[in-house]
Amino acid sequence: MSSHQGTNLKARLLQLECHFTWGLRKNDTDLTYLLTRLEEQLNLNLGGEIGLARTYNYMGFVKFLLGSNTEALSYFERSVELTKSHGNDCEKLFVVAYGDLAWLHYHMDHFTECESYLNKLSEIKEKYPIIPYAKVLGEKGWTFLKFSRKYYHMAKVCFSDALKLDPDDSEWNAALAIVLHRTEPKFEDTPNSNAIDQLRRAIDTNPDDDVLKLYLAIRLLGQKEYKEAESLVEKALERSPEHPHVLRYVGQYFRYQGIVDRSIALLTKTLEKVSSKAFIHHQLAHCYKKKITNLKKSGRQHLESGEILHAQEQCIYHLETAVKLNPCFVIAISELALQYGESGNVHKAEQTFQDAFEAAKIKRDNYHPVLLRYAEFQQYCMRCEPAALKHYIECLKINPNSYEGKRCAENLEKIAKRRIENNPQDGEAFGILGIIHKEKGEKQQAIKYFEEALSYVDNEDYLGDLCELRLSLQ
């Protein structure tokens, strides 16, 4: 093939809507773990034939990213076979699958086959001038949603646009509800929740989706709508008592309710039913961490010391298992490091935190949760307040509105107020309060605290922040 023909093929390929043109970067996710999750979807037979076809298509692209072109080809072809079995009107659903096949053949230097699929796409476009673009948007959205949380915003845009074209589609309503549930802050921080409204709409169009009911039940805890939440959990368990995703989120619901032992029992049962076990082990670790907190709060530590030790051991065991199963599980690595610190193994904790920072750097994600936990490690395990302050402030500045940012602001405020109570002329403590308000966008309060700080200490950073804030208000 001449270079001109190759250029022409590439130009046509770049116009396609498929996995190869959606800007997915393999360094943004753990491909092996993603493949495991997709295989679990196949085992659960989610989404009917079209849903399975979409999963096979996605798996084909992941295999391509992993360098297994032959396996990728078999998955793409399996996707086409499943779509064909859907019925006579299936041809227009091949937009993404044929696009993927064209791209794969191009990368394999099968230029004749590549051109053949490009021609098939041209024929579909001629035959169906109005391609079901909502389907393409939906598949694109699911791809973003499953690939990495860094792509959640793009998934939300895709599902919202799909619903503009087809407002009553049950799948896109469910998909938008899922992405809103994942992107909103934790349920206790959202008294006004867009996710709740969308989950209700999604359940209206998907009355048999028990996982959606559990998402809504968890969200309703933030509204203190306990009766409705409990009713939803009961219905989901009654209808799907063995479904691993239902058991997973029921377990999460009971943990949020403080019913930790029941959550542990359900999550342990779920371990027997799923292939992607790292997430479940991480959830079990959260349960044991909650159990440790509850035991310490009971005021009977001298009586409960054996149980606390057992819970600590179980927490570390499940985190170690999660990390072993998914070595790029940044959140689990940083939590494991913190647990090592709390159990007294500070050398191992420090080493594991460095692993967490390195994993976050490689994935280019989850850096600020690692910073938060490292700051907590410095504060509570190492008793090194200066290092804790440094990392809390760094984390706060990344995103003050995130869960981690809010936690950092709370911890910084506690430290500052304690220091001011002990020493009303502690300029650094007033400076910390200034930084908190500055990052939150509360300029007048920030100016007040920086002025107070500078009346007690000479600090170029505080002076620079103060000048910047005054200029911004002019």
Side-chain angles (χ1 to χ4, degrees):
M1 183 178 68
S2 70
S3 61
H4 173 72
Q5 289 172 308
T7 303
N8 183 49
L9 273 183
K10 188 69 175 285
R12 293 173 68 188
L13 287 165
L14 288 170
Q15 300 302 311
L16 303 180
E17 282 282 0
C18 64
H19 292 89
F20 289 82
T21 61
W22 290 338
L24 302 163
R25 298 183 298 271
K26 64 180 180 181
N27 289 335
D28 284 342
T29 193
D30 180 348
L31 292 170
T32 304
Y33 186 60
L34 174 58
L35 196 63
T36 301
R37 285 164 45 215
L38 293 170
E39 287 169 348
E40 182 181 304
Q41 275 189 241
L42 289 181
N43 294 335
L44 292 173
N45 195 26
L46 298 175
E49 289 175 345
I50 294 301
L52 291 177
R54 182 188 297 126
T55 302
Y56 274 113
N57 218 38
Y58 201 167
M59 290 173 73
F61 181 69
V62 175
K63 284 290 185 182
F64 163 77
L65 292 179
L66 289 167
S68 303
N69 287 348
T70 304
E71 286 185 276
L73 182 60
S74 69
Y75 280 123
F76 286 145
E77 289 175 341
R78 178 63 178 141
S79 173
V80 171
E81 289 172 13
L82 280 168
T83 305
K84 284 180 178 176
S85 67
H86 187 61
N88 297 327
D89 195 32
C90 67
E91 191 178 11
K92 58 187 177 181
L93 301 178
F94 288 137
V95 173
V96 175
Y98 281 176
D100 285 332
L101 280 161
W103 267 100
L104 181 63
H105 282 299
Y106 177 81
H107 282 293
M108 296 173 74
D109 294 333
H110 300 164
F111 301 118
T112 302
E113 289 85 349
C114 171
E115 190 162 20
S116 173
Y117 279 107
L118 286 169
N119 292 336
K120 286 181 180 180
L121 285 165
S122 296
E123 291 169 9
I124 291 173
K125 192 171 183 180
E126 289 177 13
K127 189 173 179 181
Y128 302 100
I130 302 176
I131 294 290
Y133 194 56
K135 298 285 185 186
V136 176
L137 281 168
E139 188 157 349
K140 191 175 183 179
W142 281 123
T143 298
F144 287 146
L145 186 62
K146 292 170 187 170
F147 197 75
S148 166
R149 67 184 200 141
K150 292 171 73 173
Y151 293 73
Y152 282 177
H153 173 70
M154 292 183 283
K156 179 181 173 182
V157 171
C158 287
F159 294 134
S160 298
D161 288 347
L163 283 169
K164 289 174 186 175
L165 297 170
D166 193 354
D168 297 320
D169 186 275
S170 59
E171 185 175 1
W172 314 142
N173 272 291
L176 182 59
I178 291 168
V179 77
L180 287 174
H181 177 66
R182 291 189 187 179
T183 53
E184 278 192 4
K186 289 194 173 184
F187 70 89
E188 63 263 42
D189 297 329
T190 50
N192 299 311
S193 168
N194 292 326
I196 286 180
D197 295 336
Q198 184 58 35
L199 280 163
R200 291 193 188 282
R201 176 164 176 73
I203 291 167
D204 285 342
T205 58
N206 296 264
D208 296 330
D209 192 324
D210 293 312
V211 173
L212 289 178
K213 294 180 184 127
L214 292 170
Y215 287 160
L216 179 57
I218 289 168
R219 284 279 157 199
L220 288 172
L221 293 178
Q223 309 276 320
K224 303 192 184 324
E225 297 287 349
Y226 302 122
K227 188 173 181 180
E228 183 183 358
E230 188 173 333
S231 173
L232 288 163
V233 171
E234 288 174 355
K235 287 175 183 176
L237 274 174
E238 184 180 343
R239 283 177 36 84
S240 306
E242 300 297 321
H243 194 294
H245 288 177
V246 168
L247 293 175
R248 172 191 299 178
Y249 291 112
V250 170
Q252 198 174 86
Y253 171 85
F254 283 126
R255 175 164 62 84
Y256 289 150
Q257 282 279 64
I259 311 172
V260 181
D261 288 333
R262 189 168 181 189
S263 181
I264 290 171
L266 284 165
L267 290 168
T268 302
K269 188 176 180 181
T270 307
L271 272 177
E272 303 166 5
K273 302 173 182 294
V274 297
S275 51
S276 55
K277 299 178 187 294
F279 176 82
I280 305 300
H281 280 289
H282 185 233
Q283 290 294 309
L284 279 162
H286 274 301
C287 289
Y288 283 106
K289 185 178 178 180
K290 179 78 171 177
K291 191 165 189 173
I292 293 165
T293 302
N294 291 346
L295 288 167
K296 288 180 176 179
K297 283 181 177 178
S298 70
R300 302 172 59 206
Q301 290 189 46
H302 61 292
L303 298 175
E304 310 287 0
S305 58
E307 197 171 349
I308 289 172
L309 180 61
H310 173 73
Q312 286 177 329
E313 289 171 348
Q314 286 298 305
C315 182
I316 288 173
Y317 163 75
H318 285 293
L319 287 168
E320 288 177 335
T321 306
V323 172
K324 184 177 179 181
L325 291 168
N326 181 6
C328 295
F329 199 161
V330 178
I331 300 292
I333 299 170
S334 61
E335 187 61 53
L336 176 59
L338 184 58
Q339 290 303 316
Y340 283 146
E342 292 190 355
S343 67
N345 195 339
V346 294
H347 175 72
K348 198 168 185 178
E350 187 69 59
Q351 188 178 41
T352 307
F353 268 118
Q354 297 315 308
D355 292 341
F357 280 118
E358 186 62 28
K361 182 179 176 182
I362 291 169
K363 289 191 73 176
R364 291 181 282 180
D365 193 17
N366 284 320
Y367 183 67
H368 58 308
V370 182
L371 271 176
L372 169 62
R373 287 172 177 80
Y374 191 59
E376 291 175 335
F377 166 70
Q378 291 293 339
Q379 182 180 1
Y380 299 115
C381 303
M382 301 301 291
R383 307 294 180 186
C384 183
E385 192 165 277
L389 289 171
K390 174 187 172 184
H391 292 96
Y392 279 137
I393 290 169
E394 184 183 351
C395 183
L396 173 68
K397 288 181 176 181
I398 291 175
N399 185 352
N401 296 316
S402 67
Y403 167 74
E404 290 80 11
K406 290 176 181 177
R407 279 279 300 275
C408 288
E410 289 170 5
N411 291 342
L412 286 166
E413 188 172 4
K414 286 178 184 176
I415 292 171
K417 288 184 175 179
R418 169 177 52 77
R419 286 174 57 164
I420 291 167
E421 189 174 333
N422 292 334
N423 176 14
Q425 296 182 357
D426 189 330
E428 186 183 2
F430 284 108
I432 291 167
L433 293 174
I435 291 169
I436 295 169
H437 287 290
K438 177 178 180 285
E439 294 305 319
K440 286 182 176 181
E442 298 163 352
K443 297 180 181 181
Q444 294 288 2
Q445 296 98 314
I447 288 172
K448 170 191 164 188
Y449 283 116
F450 283 132
E451 288 175 339
E452 186 83 10
L454 289 166
S455 70
Y456 301 121
V457 295
D458 290 325
N459 186 300
E460 291 184 5
D461 290 334
Y462 298 164
L463 182 60
D465 286 334
L466 180 60
C467 292
E468 179 189 330
L469 287 163
R470 284 174 173 168
L471 283 170
S472 70
L473 293 174
Q474 286 181 0

